[in-house]
Amino acid sequence: TSANNLDDLTTGRSEVFAAYYQAITQSVPNALFGLGLGASRLGKDPHNIYLEITYYLGLFGLGAIIALISSLVTELGKRVVQKKASRFLPFAMVLFLHVTLHGIFSVITYAVFFFAILAMLIEQLPEELQPTEKEE
């Protein structure tokens, strides 16, 4: 309630987003190919993995990572017997949370994506194998 502007409300992240966006859109090569993995941070980390990937690897790099993850999920979807949409929930939550939490250089990011994709393999027991109330 004490925020006077957007920067105060977002604890400085809106200015960080603007700085990353400005660096990305500075030139066409920056937008397409990024500034490289050796590029320096612009103040704080953006806490937005998609913006960070675009900054370091460009739109082509972001597209390549999206294509890789999409192909993994699609291929996994062909192999899973259970066709319920709920099996995509952990993966959807990881995609949503990584907008605001992790960065491209955080090792845990890749483990979280791996486990979210792996969770799609968990299947529900057939009805005849599910425990009844007496067995519990």
Side-chain angles (χ1 to χ4, degrees), residues 20-38:
Y20 275 85
Y21 181 76
Q22 183 179 5
I24 291 167
T25 58
Q26 191 172 19
S27 68
V28 173
N30 283 4
L32 294 178
F33 306 110
L35 280 79
L37 293 174

Side-chain angles (χ1 to χ4, degrees), residues 96-129:
F96 176 73
L97 289 174
H98 277 69
V99 171
T100 58
L101 294 178
H102 294 286
I104 191 173
F105 295 113
S106 175
V107 177
I108 194 70
T109 298
Y110 304 102
V112 170
F113 272 99
F114 172 74
F115 286 123
I117 292 171
L118 195 63
M120 293 167 55
L121 289 172
I122 298 173
E123 296 184 17
Q124 187 174 359
L125 285 172
E127 192 140 333
E128 61 271 6
L129 295 178

Side-chain angles (χ1 to χ4, degrees), residues 37-102:
L37 293 174
S40 61
R41 295 181 334 165
L42 301 177
K44 300 177 184 176
D45 287 326
H47 288 280
N48 181 323
I49 196 167
Y50 311 107
L51 182 63
E52 197 171 359
I53 289 171
T54 307
Y55 174 73
Y56 289 110
L57 303 176
L59 293 173
F60 283 131
L62 180 63
I65 290 174
I66 289 171
L68 171 68
I69 292 174
S70 297
S71 66
L72 288 171
V73 170
T74 302
E75 199 56 39
L76 187 64
K78 292 177 186 176
R79 299 172 192 272
V80 174
V81 177
Q82 182 180 353
K83 297 294 181 191
K84 292 184 180 178
S86 62
R87 69 186 169 105
F88 290 101
L89 190 58
F91 184 67
M93 289 305 300
V94 166
L95 289 176
F96 176 73
L97 289 174
H98 277 69
V99 171
T100 58
L101 294 178
H102 294 286

